[in-house]
Structure formats: structure tokens, C-alpha cells
Amino acid sequence: AGALDNLPGDWVGDDDGRFSPMTTWTQDELKTMVGQAALQYVVRGQLVGVGTGSTVNKFIDALATMRDQIAGAVSSSQASTERLRALGIEVFDANEVGELAVYIDGADEIDPRGYMIKGGGAALTREKIVAAQSRQFVCIADASKQVQCLGRFPLPVEIIPMAAQRLVRQFAALGGTAQLRMKDGQALRTDNGLQILDVHGLRISDPLAFESEVSVWPGVVTVGVFAHQRAHICLLGTPQGVQTLQFAQAL
Ligand code: 5RP
């Protein structure tokens, strides 16, 4: 089988052996491409850390093809756990297992250093926990997630409900407008039973310092800046195919 056989759509080759797509990929197809490409980072015989979101769903679907070659998964959300189990992949509690070789997850934004904004799917706390338990973070994203500076996507922050109004004022002092995330007319509840603030209008030029600062505000459970848990690698879905961006060596 050729290298292009697993990629959706038609490809054309030039005289120098370079291939380019004949079609324009939809965002969904780009997600499928990076989800499949992430399989190469899954270590046979071991557990894999699994993130949350529509891109990760493509990865989970691809992972099902090698379910007999892995020990199982540690999941970052109830949604991913359900999908993994439905496809016959065993899911372990993070406390039952030790360090993981690799964590595969999407992002809402990723900058040129591998720093990310995450939490669009409200799973940021468990995502950060599983990422911290893993030696390597492989981010899978379509090219629309690439930014020069974090902050265009509203920053998700998981909070203790009692602190909501105080935190809205603290973000306002940084120039941000924080809104409680709603679902079906009520404040959304995360898998942890907590709430999410989405903070608009920030420009996060120093993600490490920002994450350190906001993480200690009383009532903040997790801020959706992943700088201390940045990506080691990003598999980026582009019109020219999957690009591999390396930001750091695995731990
Ligand atoms: C969930 C996340 C997701 O990784 C992020 O929202 C990207 O999702 P998608 O792949 O659906 O664009 O952080 O909390």
C-alpha cells in the first residue's frame, strides 16, 4: 500500500515525486488525517492517554483498528471514555496506572512554541492531569488552530462557582471579559461538577507566566493555557497534508 492510501481524497504527483491534493480538504477531513497520523505515536503493548474533542474522536476511531495491540487508555472525559469503551478499548483510572508514554489531544489554539489554549470541550482539568502524567504530548489539530499569539479563542477557565463574580473582576483587570459558559439555559457543569468561564479579549504573550499567575487565583481550578504542559509535537492538518512540528523532546 502506498503512503497516500490512508489519506482521504485524490492526490496528484509531479515529475519530482511530490504529491499535492487535488481537492480542498474540509476541516473534518483534516481532523481525520491528523487523527490517523497520531497512530504512529501510540506505543504497542502500552496504555495511551486520550484527550477530548472532535479531532480526538477521529483518533479514537483510528485507535480502534489497533485495539488488540495496546493495553488500553486513560481518558480525559466521560465523552471520550464512552467512545473508547463503545469501540472495545479498555479505559483505566489515572490512579490505577503510572506514567504514560504518550498523550494525544487536540487544541483550540497552538502557538509557534507549542503553547496551547484548550478547554473548548470543557475537559481542560482532566486533560491537564493526563498530560502531566505523560512523557510526550502529541497535539493533533487542523491548520485553523495555529496562531502567533494565544488569545483569539476565548480562554476557558474551570472554576469553583462561589468564586465566579470575583474572578470576572480579576480578568477584567487584565483586560478580559469573562462570561459564564451556558448550556440549555443553565450554567454548564463540567465532568467535575464545576463551571467554566470563557474569557474574551486577552492577548497572552507570555503563556508560562500567565498560567502560573492565574492558576493561583482562589477559585481557579484549571486555566486553559497549556504552557507548563505544552505540546512536544503537533501533527498539523494542512492543505498540503500532515505537517509534523517538533517543539520539545519527550520527557
Ligand atoms: C476539549 C479540548 C479540545 O481539545 C479542543 O476544544 C479542540 O477540540 P476540537 O478537536 O473539537 O476542535 O480542549 O476540552
Side-chain angles (χ1 to χ4, degrees), residues 4 14-15 17 26 53 62-63 83-84 98 113 128 155 192 230 236:
L4 303 172
D14 65 17
D15 292 344
T26 64
L63 189 64
R83 196 177 188 97
L84 286 158
R113 293 168 291 184
K128 212 175 256 193
L155 174 69
N192 307 309
R230 71 171 164 158
L236 194 71

Short mmCIF file of all heavy atoms in Angstrom, two decimals, residues 4 14-15 17 26 53 62-63 83-84 98 113 128 155 192 230 236:
data_model
loop_
_atom_site.label_atom_id
_atom_site.label_comp_id
_atom_site.label_asym_id
_atom_site.label_seq_id
_atom_site.Cartn_x
_atom_site.Cartn_y
_atom_site.Cartn_z
N LEU A 4 -0.09 7.23 0.50
CA LEU A 4 -1.26 8.10 0.40
C LEU A 4 -2.57 7.35 0.55
O LEU A 4 -3.64 7.96 0.58
CB LEU A 4 -1.25 8.81 -0.97
CG LEU A 4 0.01 9.62 -1.26
CD1 LEU A 4 -0.01 10.10 -2.70
CD2 LEU A 4 0.11 10.79 -0.32
N ASP A 14 3.85 15.13 -9.10
CA ASP A 14 4.56 15.82 -10.17
C ASP A 14 5.79 14.99 -10.57
O ASP A 14 6.04 13.93 -10.01
CB ASP A 14 4.91 17.27 -9.78
CG ASP A 14 5.89 17.32 -8.60
OD1 ASP A 14 6.54 16.29 -8.31
OD2 ASP A 14 6.00 18.40 -7.99
N ASP A 15 6.61 15.52 -11.52
CA ASP A 15 7.74 14.75 -12.04
C ASP A 15 8.81 14.50 -10.98
O ASP A 15 9.62 13.60 -11.10
CB ASP A 15 8.37 15.50 -13.23
CG ASP A 15 7.41 15.51 -14.42
OD1 ASP A 15 6.47 14.70 -14.39
OD2 ASP A 15 7.59 16.35 -15.32
N GLY A 17 8.19 13.67 -7.95
CA GLY A 17 7.70 12.74 -6.93
C GLY A 17 6.99 13.43 -5.78
O GLY A 17 6.74 12.82 -4.74
N THR A 26 -11.95 19.52 3.63
CA THR A 26 -12.82 20.12 4.63
C THR A 26 -12.11 20.03 5.98
O THR A 26 -11.16 19.24 6.13
CB THR A 26 -14.16 19.37 4.73
OG1 THR A 26 -13.89 18.05 5.21
CG2 THR A 26 -14.87 19.30 3.39
N GLY A 53 -12.61 15.83 22.29
CA GLY A 53 -12.99 16.77 21.23
C GLY A 53 -13.23 16.07 19.91
O GLY A 53 -13.05 14.84 19.79
N ALA A 62 -9.64 5.76 14.85
CA ALA A 62 -8.47 5.11 14.24
C ALA A 62 -7.83 4.14 15.22
O ALA A 62 -7.37 3.05 14.83
CB ALA A 62 -7.46 6.18 13.81
N LEU A 63 -7.81 4.51 16.50
CA LEU A 63 -7.18 3.66 17.53
C LEU A 63 -7.89 2.31 17.63
O LEU A 63 -7.26 1.30 17.96
CB LEU A 63 -7.24 4.40 18.87
CG LEU A 63 -6.47 3.80 20.05
CD1 LEU A 63 -4.96 3.80 19.76
CD2 LEU A 63 -6.75 4.59 21.33
N ARG A 83 -16.79 6.74 24.22
CA ARG A 83 -16.44 6.39 22.84
C ARG A 83 -15.40 5.27 22.79
O ARG A 83 -15.49 4.34 21.98
CB ARG A 83 -15.91 7.64 22.11
CG ARG A 83 -15.87 7.51 20.60
CD ARG A 83 -15.42 8.81 19.96
NE ARG A 83 -15.56 8.77 18.52
CZ ARG A 83 -16.58 9.27 17.86
NH1 ARG A 83 -17.58 9.83 18.49
NH2 ARG A 83 -16.63 9.20 16.54
N LEU A 84 -14.42 5.36 23.68
CA LEU A 84 -13.38 4.33 23.73
C LEU A 84 -14.00 2.97 24.06
O LEU A 84 -13.73 1.97 23.40
CB LEU A 84 -12.33 4.69 24.79
CG LEU A 84 -11.36 5.82 24.40
CD1 LEU A 84 -10.75 6.46 25.64
CD2 LEU A 84 -10.26 5.31 23.48
N GLY A 98 0.64 4.08 36.18
CA GLY A 98 1.76 5.01 36.37
C GLY A 98 1.86 5.97 35.20
O GLY A 98 0.86 6.35 34.59
N ARG A 113 5.54 27.97 19.75
CA ARG A 113 6.37 27.27 20.75
C ARG A 113 5.68 26.01 21.29
O ARG A 113 6.21 25.35 22.18
CB ARG A 113 6.70 28.23 21.89
CG ARG A 113 7.62 29.37 21.44
CD ARG A 113 7.70 30.46 22.48
NE ARG A 113 6.43 31.19 22.60
CZ ARG A 113 6.22 32.23 23.39
NH1 ARG A 113 7.21 32.69 24.13
NH2 ARG A 113 5.05 32.84 23.43
N LYS A 128 -5.36 18.34 31.50
CA LYS A 128 -4.06 18.75 32.05
C LYS A 128 -3.49 17.67 32.96
O LYS A 128 -2.28 17.44 33.00
CB LYS A 128 -4.19 20.08 32.79
CG LYS A 128 -2.95 20.95 32.71
CD LYS A 128 -3.14 22.31 33.34
CE LYS A 128 -3.31 23.42 32.35
NZ LYS A 128 -3.19 24.77 32.94
N LEU A 155 -10.54 32.21 26.33
CA LEU A 155 -9.80 31.31 27.22
C LEU A 155 -10.74 30.62 28.22
O LEU A 155 -11.37 31.29 29.05
CB LEU A 155 -8.76 32.12 28.00
CG LEU A 155 -8.00 31.34 29.07
CD1 LEU A 155 -7.07 30.32 28.43
CD2 LEU A 155 -7.24 32.28 29.97
N ASN A 192 -16.49 17.43 36.35
CA ASN A 192 -16.15 17.56 37.76
C ASN A 192 -17.24 18.28 38.55
O ASN A 192 -17.04 18.60 39.73
CB ASN A 192 -14.82 18.32 37.91
CG ASN A 192 -13.73 17.70 37.07
OD1 ASN A 192 -13.50 16.49 37.14
ND2 ASN A 192 -13.07 18.50 36.24
N ARG A 230 2.96 21.99 27.68
CA ARG A 230 2.85 22.29 26.25
C ARG A 230 3.00 21.02 25.41
O ARG A 230 3.42 19.97 25.92
CB ARG A 230 3.92 23.30 25.83
CG ARG A 230 5.31 22.74 25.82
CD ARG A 230 6.27 23.72 25.18
NE ARG A 230 7.64 23.36 25.50
CZ ARG A 230 8.68 23.74 24.79
NH1 ARG A 230 8.52 24.49 23.73
NH2 ARG A 230 9.90 23.40 25.14
N LEU A 236 -0.13 18.74 12.33
CA LEU A 236 -0.99 19.80 11.84
C LEU A 236 -1.57 19.42 10.49
O LEU A 236 -0.82 19.12 9.55
CB LEU A 236 -0.15 21.09 11.72
CG LEU A 236 -0.92 22.39 11.54
CD1 LEU A 236 -1.64 22.77 12.84
CD2 LEU A 236 0.03 23.51 11.12
#
